[in-house]
Amino acid sequence: MASHAFRPVTHHHTFAAHPPALSVAPGDTIRTHTVDAAGVDADGSRVAARGNPLTGPIRVEGAEPGDHLAVHLNAVTPNRTHGFGRASLAPGVLDPDFLAEVGAEAAHDGAAWQVDAGAGTVTLTHPSSPIEGLVLPLAPMLGCIGVAPAGGQAISTATSGPHGGNMDYRRLGGGVTVYLPVFVPGASLFVGDAHALQGDGEMSGTGVEISADVHLTVDLVEGVPIGWPRGEDDTHRFTLGNARPLDQATQHATTEMVRWLMRDHGWDAATAGLFLSQCVRYELGNMFDPAYTVACKVPHDALARVGA
Amino acid sequence: MASHAFRPVTHHHTFAAHPPALSVAPGDTIRTHTVDAAGVDADGSRVAARGNPLTGPIRVEGAEPGDHLAVHLNAVTPNRTHGFGRASLAPGVLDPDFLAEVGAEAAHDGAAWQVDAGAGTVTLTHPSSPIEGLVLPLAPMLGCIGVAPAGGQAISTATSGPHGGNMDYRRLGGGVTVYLPVFVPGASLFVGDAHALQGDGEMSGTGVEISADVHLTVDLVEGVPIGWPRGEDDTHRFTLGNARPLDQATQHATTEMVRWLMRDHGWDAATAGLFLSQCVRYELGNMFDPAYTVACKVPHDALARVGA
Amino acid sequence: MASHAFRPVTHHHTFAAHPPALSVAPGDTIRTHTVDAAGVDADGSRVAARGNPLTGPIRVEGAEPGDHLAVHLNAVTPNRTHGFGRASLAPGVLDPDFLAEVGAEAAHDGAAWQVDAGAGTVTLTHPSSPIEGLVLPLAPMLGCIGVAPAGGQAISTATSGPHGGNMDYRRLGGGVTVYLPVFVPGASLFVGDAHALQGDGEMSGTGVEISADVHLTVDLVEGVPIGWPRGEDDTHRFTLGNARPLDQATQHATTEMVRWLMRDHGWDAATAGLFLSQCVRYELGNMFDPAYTVACKVPHDALARVGA
Amino acid sequence: MASHAFRPVTHHHTFAAHPPALSVAPGDTIRTHTVDAAGVDADGSRVAARGNPLTGPIRVEGAEPGDHLAVHLNAVTPNRTHGFGRASLAPGVLDPDFLAEVGAEAAHDGAAWQVDAGAGTVTLTHPSSPIEGLVLPLAPMLGCIGVAPAGGQAISTATSGPHGGNMDYRRLGGGVTVYLPVFVPGASLFVGDAHALQGDGEMSGTGVEISADVHLTVDLVEGVPIGWPRGEDDTHRFTLGNARPLDQATQHATTEMVRWLMRDHGWDAATAGLFLSQCVRYELGNMFDPAYTVACKVPHDALARVGA
């Protein structure tokens, strides 16, 4: 259970089986960092092209297709004070008639945010607007986490799939465990695109974009395939479906949760349905990319009550 | 500001400008009850055909097209101890491949729940299954609330639209205010389809179905048209979009929230986008009917910080 | 087999079980007319409010829920020379990014067309634009055809459903037989919204809108329920699914075709799949209303080859 | 304008900038062949893994990002007599309720077809079923055609995108010209997955799968970027949008057609809308893969009438 300090040099823009930048054993811990979505690091230097450049791939020794990774995000911490974003409404989340009406008026220049990790706040410093000076609670997270996909594919960091990717789900911060399918030997794990804060949907196409220190521990679960990313935090287990429309992402996430409940607890499909119909929660991740992200959630508490 | 005790006799199965069953003035309070989705009342008597029979319409004096109602749900309280539901997975929220695989196995016979309003619990008493005896917290709400739609339409209680309807959003319980557009003189307000508890999506097609006592106060906001149902509770304001796919329901709800922010706070569209991109939350209502329901939410807290 | 000359007086804007305007026996023939989408008749007089006012309802004696109608459209003939339409791109069929870019520029004032039934042409006479004078072949059809829906509903002529409605499928002109489910005693058949010509999707929200003479024969098929509108012309049988997104409309239309093939030819579902996978054609009707229309088609020719 | 006889050795399963297998100059003609979707060639030998193995990439000298290719499909000719397919209904094109009802009954074993290029027919020889012996007209086409995508991606032959891919549009046979965007130097053109016949949607996941001889001529159009695949045959020009749901594929295809009309003919967006609203046709390609394909079509004839 080694501890690795990993300083990324190359930043890929696709999730793929690129040559490993670091190799770790299951149980190892890694301290690394991510550059922001525009390729700028903690010092304000542009070190990669824009478009969610990734840190990785991290090769997990012994990982084989049919296994899955358990990635414990111990901490995601912004490592500078300047965050940025778009000041606009994503065309895709507006009624077409309204969009035709407001047109280009729906976009300002970019926004700037002051990030104070000590105070736990982000403060809007630009543009000059009726909400200038808005102070919101810091809630750091990773917009991108994933592995190399199946079939020799290389998938852009501008979208997501069964391999994870740019899911922009605000729960993917410190304290969460993310489970990811393994499609290639070594898994090829990547992280990137940290946000100091982000609303559901990442609906302007950005959160508060920032570089971050990332502390994670990687475990391997052998011989248990999963179909879509899964996770757990203090209160819930969840599954993530990535597709369009949201209905299809919901179908993927729900089916993955049903499979999880059936396998782990020995339930049949109807029992899973009976349980979920009263207990399930849904949340939205990214609604800006070619694929949207839906989380299907179940409270640990309710599972505990049935001895599951 | 009269107080009305209203005992419904006729139960409609469409939202339409039916003859008023009660007429109230703005500011009046009404104590009434709803029968369950199968038409059964507090005494276990079937008093209406199945399919979400409604209580109403309540005519609001002076309400005209272009106004909107503010319906304060003071309390929604189950008025018997027996709740029921389906024990199945809704075909529409599963991957088609999985559905073809499990087929009819995804459904049990119906479920029965014991509802204890004093203890604040619902307990699964049937079917015999691995989760028999599951105890969950009571969280009563109205599956149906709405008004007569525009254009002389009569819309089934099995779906929803700009007029509200069968939205199955779990926040629509005691303590919430629901705003509804007025399309016809008198508005024709209806309530029905109470649930003692319901997961997001009402994904088996039922919550814990029950009859309930409903205590509500109706106000009228004259000359302010709204496009979709809106609401407020202690922590958030929200808008409700009803359509398929979820993407379109999201577009309706988001656009309605943007219009609300623009009108009430004098913001332009880009300011609304900048605010929402960091603060918005989405939740899902019904995902079983022909139209699905999406809630777009904004915390009062964040609005208060910008003096809005 | 009587022949009725029916001059409509009242024009409804919902498909519902309104009082019959005409009562016919199965096998009867009706000569009537429809006013245009704006309520204007052959003489240029506005006789009804805009929004697809209907001719009907026609009560079909003996029709009961579980039967279906066979409506033979013998002829649909424009009865004046002036047609009109919008000159715009429907926001819903454009990429949101493109829409935000072109905004309100995507709409001109209305268009005017000269309709020459003798020559079989429509000619663009307004607005002045690079395509002024465009001559296209006349292809008259009914935008609206349908019956009273189930459950006491009254559904706007601005949308569609299992009862038919505003489907805007360009094949619904002279020579086609349309099959419609019966949901209420007497069926309550309506026609309206004729177009001298229309592209797929009715993608500006209009075809060449015009009043028309309609000649139709109504038959009743007792005891054979159907789920969605069906039809036949010289070359194909087809089914019509009405929903959003197009994927769901496609699911309805395909399932209805599979049921038709299974029932009429005694096939199992896999045989229907094998046949359709090589023979099926899809076409699009309305893509402008709340519900979209998809046609699933099978050539008579291919069915004849398997003795079906 | 050289003529190349190209015998593929390596068969890729992704569209990507793989090392060129052949390099040609603009204007050159290529005679090559494709193996079937299962990797089997004209002689019945399996020479590649299943899953739409491709022929290529063909490097087009001088092609640079911002150009587009014009690929003339001179002929696509099955080069053996045995075709195969699935005998099933794709779960995704059926109503979920119907799917839950028929479940696994919707699939037979595979189907076999006898292909007679001389007679121009395909004949169903297996399975034994009510439609055994069905004879249909031969209509050969390429299920896959595309180039290396943008951003260093490698995209599976099981889906499609702006680069083309597995679009399964039945018009992509002999006599059509396909226009493809260029995203990487040399373009990296691929072809594969021939079908002797296929219905719209490829709705069982297969057409009549076969190996084929392909005769094509490649031209380069420099400095004219296009956003999505386009094409022309004797009667129409068309654009292809690839996405889910069909609504989004339709938005891509329509927007690409509007851009084409605006650029080539100097029209504004409203003129394009006015023209399309009366002239447009839509057809469906693949409805089985993660991305669906919609064709937006315009008749040459109508364009000719406005001197365009």
Side-chain angles (χ1 to χ4, degrees), chain C residues 126-192:
Chain C
H126 179 87
S128 178
S129 84
I131 63 170
E132 194 179 350
L134 172 64
V135 180
L136 294 168
L138 181 71
M141 50 157 284
L142 292 175
C144 286
I145 184 167
V147 295
Q153 292 190 89
I155 297 182
S156 167
T157 50
T159 191
S160 58
H163 68 289
N166 187 214
M167 300 185 287
D168 291 316
Y169 178 45
R170 65 184 162 84
R171 304 280 180 197
L172 302 188
V176 78
T177 296
V178 182
Y179 303 105
L180 294 166
V182 177
F183 297 111
V184 303
S188 293
L189 174 68
F190 297 88
V191 291

Side-chain angles (χ1 to χ4, degrees), chain D residues 91-182:
Chain D
V93 297
L94 296 175
D95 281 344
D97 287 340
F98 180 76
L99 188 55
E101 179 188 326
V102 298
E105 293 168 44
H108 278 310
D109 291 339
W113 300 81
Q114 178 75 13
V115 175
D116 186 333
T121 57
V122 300
T123 305
L124 182 65
T125 57
H126 179 87
S128 178
S129 84
I131 63 169
E132 194 178 350
L134 172 65
V135 180
L136 294 167
L138 182 71
M141 49 156 285
L142 292 175
C144 285
I145 183 167
V147 295
Q153 292 190 90
I155 296 183
S156 168
T157 50
T159 192
S160 59
H163 68 289
N166 186 213
M167 299 185 286
D168 292 316
Y169 178 46
R170 65 186 163 82
R171 303 280 180 198
L172 302 188
V176 79
T177 296
V178 183
Y179 303 104
L180 295 165
V182 176

Side-chain angles (χ1 to χ4, degrees), chain C residues 198-260:
Chain C
Q198 182 209 286
D200 285 356
E202 202 206 30
M203 60 167 273
S204 67
T206 61
V208 175
E209 307 291 324
I210 201 154
S211 59
D213 293 329
V214 179
H215 181 205
L216 51 88
T217 303
V218 180
D219 280 316
L220 179 65
V221 182
E222 295 183 64
V224 182
I226 63 176
W228 290 92
R230 300 176 176 183
E232 289 190 83
D233 61 16
D234 284 352
T235 60
H236 291 79
R237 66 164 69 174
F238 58 85
T239 53
L240 295 170
N242 303 314
R244 269 206 202 183
L246 288 169
D247 304 42
Q248 192 186 351
T250 301
Q251 290 175 338
H252 293 322
T254 307
T255 300
E256 185 71 10
M257 182 60 79
V258 169
R259 290 191 191 276
W260 194 353

Side-chain angles (χ1 to χ4, degrees), chain B residues 183-229:
Chain B
F183 296 111
V184 303
S188 294
L189 173 67
F190 298 88
V191 291
D193 187 30
H195 301 153
L197 176 68
Q198 182 209 286
D200 285 356
E202 203 207 29
M203 60 167 273
S204 67
T206 63
V208 175
E209 306 291 322
I210 201 154
S211 60
D213 292 330
V214 179
H215 181 204
L216 51 88
T217 303
V218 180
D219 279 316
L220 178 66
V221 183
E222 295 183 64
V224 182
I226 63 176
W228 289 92

